[in-house]
Amino acid sequence: NLLLPEGVPAERQWARFYVKIYRAEGLPRMNTSIMANVKKALIGDNKDLVDPYVQVAFAGQKGKTSIQKSCYEPLWNEQIIFTEMFPPLCKRIKVQIRDSDKVNDVAIGTHFIDLRKISNEG
C-alpha cells in the first residue's frame, strides 16, 4: 500500500483508544452571548457564567464530555473512546475545552497531545 508510511505494517488490527477527562481548573469568567449581555443590562446580573465541556478530536473522529452548567472548576470523570486501526496514522490528539452557548460555542483553550511522546517505540 503506497499510502502507508514506511515501517507501518499493511495488515493492521483495530484498537480502542481511551481518553479520560477528569477535571479543569482556573477557567476564565466569560460569556459573550447576546442573551448574557441583555440579562446583565436588564437584571444587573454581573456573573460571567461559563458552561464548559471538553471536545476531543482523533483520527478524523470527535467526541465530547457532558456540559457542566455555570462551573469554573468542572469535574467530569468521563472517558471518550475512539476505534481506529493500530498503529494509528494520526500523530496527535486535539483536546479542546469549550464554552457551550445557545448561539455559538467558544473555544476556551486547546492542547495537542503528541502520541510519540506518550507511547513506546515501535
Side-chain angles (χ1 to χ4, degrees):
N1 188 340
L2 298 176
L3 298 177
L4 290 175
E6 186 177 328
V8 175
E11 296 296 323
R12 299 185 301 152
Q13 294 184 3
W14 288 97
R16 286 194 181 108
F17 296 85
Y18 294 84
V19 179
K20 294 184 180 182
I21 308 295
Y22 295 103
R23 67 180 191 209
E25 296 174 347
L27 297 181
R29 297 185 184 276
M30 60 184 277
N31 198 340
T32 58
S33 72
I34 294 170
M35 290 308 293
N37 291 333
V38 169
K39 188 176 177 184
K40 260 187 216 180
L42 294 177
I43 304 173
D45 185 5
N46 201 18
K47 293 180 183 174
D48 293 324
L49 303 176
V50 62
D51 301 325
Y53 69 94
V54 176
Q55 179 177 297
V56 181
F58 173 66
Q61 304 171 60
K62 286 184 181 176
K64 66 180 191 176
T65 64
S66 61
I67 297 169
Q68 301 293 314
K69 295 287 185 186
S70 305
C71 187
Y72 297 106
E73 293 193 358
L75 181 64
W76 286 285
N77 287 326
E78 297 178 22
Q79 65 182 7
I80 300 170
I81 303 170
F82 297 102
T83 302
E84 178 59 32
M85 297 290 262
F86 187 82
L89 298 180
C90 184
K91 300 272 189 234
R92 61 187 187 171
I93 298 172
K94 179 181 177 183
V95 180
Q96 191 171 58
I97 190 161
R98 301 179 64 87
D99 179 19
S100 178
D101 192 63
K102 291 180 183 174
V103 178
N104 189 23
D105 292 1
V106 177
I108 298 173
T110 304
H111 183 73
F112 292 94
I113 300 172
D114 186 349
L115 293 177
R116 291 170 292 188
K117 291 184 178 181
I118 63 170
S119 61
N120 293 330
E121 286 293 321

